Amino acid sequence: MDKDKNLKNSSKDSSLDTKVHEEKIPSSDNNSDTAVLQHDAKSTDSKTDDESNNSGSNFDNFGLDLAVLNEVSKTAQMGMSTISFLTNRITDFAMKKELVAMYSQYSNILLQVNQHFEKYGEVPEDTSTRTRLMSFYGIKANLAKDKSNSHIAEMMIEGTMMGIIKCQKILNCNLDVDKSTIQLIKDFNEFQRENIKKLNAFL
């Protein structure tokens, strides 16, 4: 990983992991999930509570904001791709109807992410073809072994849990990004948790 990259000047070519690494306070703990992060170290000490509450968006950290939004975008894209792949192979009407509803919600999240990017005059990154193909091959191999509703629900739950974990890690970092971005991640996480509850009925 190139630690010298600056996300503020090159948000498209940088990853969230790189930006988070730059925000970390030096620590003897090597566990990246529990590392303490700086919260705008240069200005936090001098920032009053009123200033913090009134700052609707932090354009100084737009690079970090875009990196976070890209992670949400990729998670939503993978959710939609997985559902699209599965619905063509599911015969149970009730399950297909549930998955189509989830697809619509993922699409809505993606629309909101795109609106955030428009605010910065940028476009979100697409999930790599390699990642998509690996996911499809994995799903196809699993379906070859078991096409039951229970197994499909299990695969969906496992994939959704990965999305929840990714979003929760971002929230736990308390990154100094636009408040609307944080709210979007919270809403997305809640939506994914609700999906798991619905999928549990098919296990």
Side-chain angles (χ1 to χ4, degrees):
M1 183 178 294
D2 187 0
K3 297 181 181 178
D4 295 328
K5 284 185 179 178
N6 188 326
L7 266 172
K8 291 183 181 180
N9 297 324
S10 182
S11 62
K12 287 185 180 179
D13 298 330
S14 304
S15 66
L16 177 62
D17 290 339
T18 302
K19 186 61 180 178
V20 169
H21 180 77
E22 291 173 355
E23 295 278 327
K24 290 179 183 176
I25 295 176
S27 171
S28 59
D29 185 356
N30 292 324
N31 187 339
S32 62
D33 295 340
T34 58
V36 179
L37 301 175
Q38 288 181 335
H39 183 73
D40 197 14
K42 293 183 180 179
S43 61
T44 300
D45 293 339
S46 60
K47 187 183 293 182
T48 65
D49 290 339
D50 288 340
E51 290 173 333
S52 177
N53 291 333
N54 292 329
S55 59
S57 65
N58 188 346
F59 284 94
D60 289 336
N61 282 348
F62 77 94
L64 179 57
D65 205 8
L66 293 178
V68 170
L69 288 167
N70 263 320
E71 291 302 310
V72 175
S73 176
K74 290 176 182 178
T75 301
Q77 287 179 53
M78 284 305 300
M80 293 172 69
S81 295
T82 299
I83 291 173
S84 180
F85 186 86
L86 285 172
T87 50
N88 292 325
R89 292 159 177 79
I90 295 175
T91 56
D92 184 270
F93 177 77
M95 185 172 218
K96 180 177 287 191
K97 184 178 180 181
E98 198 67 71
L99 290 182
V100 169
M102 292 178 188
Y103 182 96
S104 181
Q105 290 174 299
Y106 275 118
S107 180
N108 183 51
I109 291 292
L110 206 53
L111 176 62
Q112 293 181 58
V113 170
N114 290 339
Q115 290 173 344
H116 279 261
F117 270 89
E118 287 178 11
K119 178 175 63 178
Y120 294 115
E122 301 286 345
V123 294
E125 298 173 4
D126 287 328
T127 305
S128 69
T129 301
R130 181 174 179 274
T131 300
R132 290 177 185 272
L133 287 176
M134 287 179 64
S135 175
F136 292 158
Y137 287 142
I139 295 172
K140 191 173 182 179
N142 268 285
L143 290 177
K145 298 176 183 177
D146 187 352
K147 294 182 180 180
S148 67
N149 286 353
S150 177
H151 188 61
I152 291 172
E154 183 179 348
M155 286 192 295
M156 283 293 299
I157 289 172
E158 289 174 354
T160 304
M161 277 303 304
M162 290 174 63
I164 290 173
I165 290 170
K166 181 178 289 187
C167 289
Q168 193 60 53
K169 282 183 177 180
I170 294 172
L171 291 172
N172 289 351
C173 287
N174 294 316
L175 300 176
D176 187 16
V177 297
D178 196 296
K179 290 179 180 179
S180 61
T181 297
I182 295 298
Q183 188 58 52
L184 175 60
I185 298 173
K186 289 180 178 179
D187 292 343
F188 186 31
N189 232 13
E190 182 61 29
F191 150 64
Q192 292 182 104
R193 293 179 190 278
E194 286 299 318
N195 282 352
I196 288 180
K197 291 179 182 179
K198 294 174 182 177
L199 290 166
N200 282 337
F202 296 97
L203 289 175

